[in-house]
Amino acid sequence: MEPRRSAGHDHWFYESQTRPDTLACAPLVPEAAHIDDRFLLGLQQEACTLASLFVSFEPALHAARTLSQLLFPDTLNASLTHTLTLYDRLSTALTVAQVAGVQRLCNHYSARLNPLPGPDSSRESNNRLTQITQYARQLAMQPALITGHSVAALDAVGLTEPDIVTLNHVVGFVSYQARVVAALQAMIALPVRWIPGVTPAPDAQPARFTPDHFGQAVIQAVEPRYASSAQHAAATRCLNHADVAPALGILLHDAAVLSTWVALMEQAPQGDDAILAQAVSARILGCHGNFTRRAGDWREALLEDVDLAAQTQPVIAVSAQLTRLPERFSAAHLQPLHNAGWENERLFGLLHAIALANWQDRLLMALTETP
């Protein structure tokens, strides 16, 4: 049979690696790369009925936009201690967006990734990108399965400690962003795409929350005597944040992101509804520390059956749906809260707390609770 060749991607080891003389296909939505607001991705224009809401939450949205710029700048120079390239970060972001299933994010990160040169086609580069992608997908989909071996595999392919911390922040940020976008789309009743065959990952096993379940840090903390002025400043800012304390020394490897992340958390509502929602996220994902601190009187009910508890408390139902399947989150899931008299500001405060908990849980589980 006569051999045939066609123009397109020449696959060597990984689907993103191509020969230099091969023209890459344009992304499906190329204009998504040039949007002004890289956090809400155009939703402010579509959700004009929520204008007052955006004004109320402007400090939080400003912090989120700053984090987007820190994690995904227009240009980035790698170094010996910070080897993650912009391609690595955007490729990871696209992986997490695909796990979340929010098409608006997939369009944006795909369009930004498209023109960037990929890694060379060596076996080492392929293995490095494969490990990064596998880790990101696991942390985004089922963080309870992340172990010390998962983190060690990143170290084995050349990622430094600052790289690993930043990578976890990238996964956490896009998980958070996906849920904020899904929440706003539900609040303005945009239609939801239903993909057949998509099932959520199972909830974490109750055994993770027993007193004898011990997690451990797998990354060396920053030595105070070697810390930079920026790291000392970030540490000082975080001293009164109990949620950050278990991983503070490790998170200092990326002091700029840490400081802005804490500023974002300071803007999140902390009422009883938000605390319960955060407990639901921690229960589903498997974050022992956050669940223990927040579950309160709901501990036994949530450990026994989250869906059964949701039948009597709509906050639990909303939290569980947005945590498990953000791509299917719709206006119908918010209707019980609307019927109970919730205004938009209170409602978005709850949804934002759920989204932020999804970031925090993944980060703490990967860095301080790995078995």
Side-chain angles (χ1 to χ4, degrees):
M1 181 179 294
E2 179 183 358
R4 300 176 62 188
R5 293 180 63 89
S6 58
H9 292 286
D10 289 339
H11 297 288
W12 291 82
F13 293 98
Y14 191 77
E15 60 184 5
S16 62
Q17 298 171 353
T18 61
R19 292 172 60 102
D21 58 347
T22 302
L23 294 176
C25 297
L28 293 177
V29 190
E31 63 274 12
H34 307 294
I35 199 163
D36 291 333
D37 187 342
R38 289 180 175 175
F39 178 65
L40 293 181
L41 305 178
L43 269 176
Q44 280 183 306
Q45 286 72 36
E46 295 184 36
C48 55
T49 57
L50 301 178
S52 60
L53 182 73
F54 294 129
V55 173
S56 301
F57 283 87
E58 178 56 31
L61 296 175
H62 175 73
R65 294 186 191 102
T66 302
L67 283 161
S68 178
Q69 182 61 33
L70 287 172
L71 292 170
F72 310 109
D74 290 324
T75 59
L76 181 66
N77 295 321
S79 66
L80 291 177
T81 56
H82 296 77
T83 70
L84 282 181
T85 65
L86 185 57
Y87 184 94
D88 295 331
R89 296 182 184 210
L90 289 172
S91 175
T92 300
L94 178 57
T95 296
V96 179
Q98 290 170 339
V99 169
V102 179
Q103 191 61 44
R104 190 180 296 263
L105 267 70
C106 295
N107 291 343
H108 174 69
Y109 289 116
S110 174
R112 287 197 63 190
L113 181 65
N114 181 70
L116 297 180
D120 61 60
S121 54
S122 67
R123 187 179 300 275
E124 290 78 11
S125 294
N126 171 68
N127 191 34
R128 179 179 182 275
L129 189 56
T130 298
Q131 289 296 336
I132 290 173
T133 303
Q134 288 178 348
Y135 180 88
R137 186 178 299 278
Q138 188 69 76
L139 184 57
M141 184 177 294
Q142 200 171 358
L145 297 184
I146 294 291
T147 67
H149 295 295
S150 307
V151 181
L154 297 176
D155 177 75
V157 295
L159 268 66
T160 64
E161 290 168 343
D163 287 337
I164 294 173
V165 171
T166 301
L167 178 64
N168 280 278
H169 268 306
V170 167
V171 176
F173 173 82
V174 181
S175 298
Y176 157 71
Q177 183 186 21
R179 285 158 179 83
V180 170
V181 169
L184 287 172
Q185 290 179 157
M187 290 182 70
I188 59 177
L190 289 183
V192 175
R193 295 184 178 183
W194 188 274
I195 303 177
V198 175
T199 57
D203 295 352
Q205 293 297 318
R208 284 189 63 92
F209 305 100
T210 57
D212 58 347
H213 177 83
F214 293 100
Q216 60 182 354
V218 293
I219 299 177
Q220 285 289 108
V222 173
E223 287 279 351
R225 56 181 173 172
Y226 298 130
S228 66
S229 58
Q231 289 171 328
H232 280 298
T236 301
R237 177 163 193 173
C238 300
L239 286 178
N240 297 324
H241 290 270
D243 294 336
V244 180
L248 177 57
I250 298 172
L251 293 174
L252 287 174
H253 283 294
D254 197 334
V257 171
L258 173 60
S259 295
T260 313
W261 181 56
V262 169
L264 175 62
M265 290 195 294
E266 290 173 347
Q267 301 299 325
Q270 289 298 324
D272 292 340
D273 294 328
I275 292 173
L276 176 57
Q278 291 163 349
V280 174
S281 169
R283 166 64 185 93
I284 291 172
L285 298 179
C287 187
H288 181 280
N290 281 344
F291 181 75
T292 301
R293 285 191 291 272
R294 291 180 167 85
D297 295 337
W298 284 97
R299 179 182 177 87
E300 295 305 321
L302 291 175
L303 284 177
E304 182 176 351
D305 192 327
V306 173
D307 294 322
L308 185 61
Q311 295 177 10
T312 59
Q313 174 52 272
V315 169
I316 296 178
V318 169
S319 304
Q321 179 66 28
L322 189 55
T323 296
R324 290 168 175 161
L325 287 171
E327 74 271 23
R328 293 186 183 176
F329 194 71
S330 68
H333 296 106
L334 300 177
Q335 197 58 49
L337 296 180
H338 282 303
N339 294 342
W342 284 51
E343 299 294 336
N344 280 340
E345 186 166 335
R346 182 185 178 189
L347 184 59
F348 183 70
L350 172 70
L351 299 174
H352 184 259
I354 298 167
L356 197 52
N358 272 261
W359 183 352
Q360 184 181 14
D361 291 337
R362 285 176 170 84
L363 194 66
L364 296 182
M365 290 173 67
L367 298 179
T368 66
E369 295 186 4
T370 49

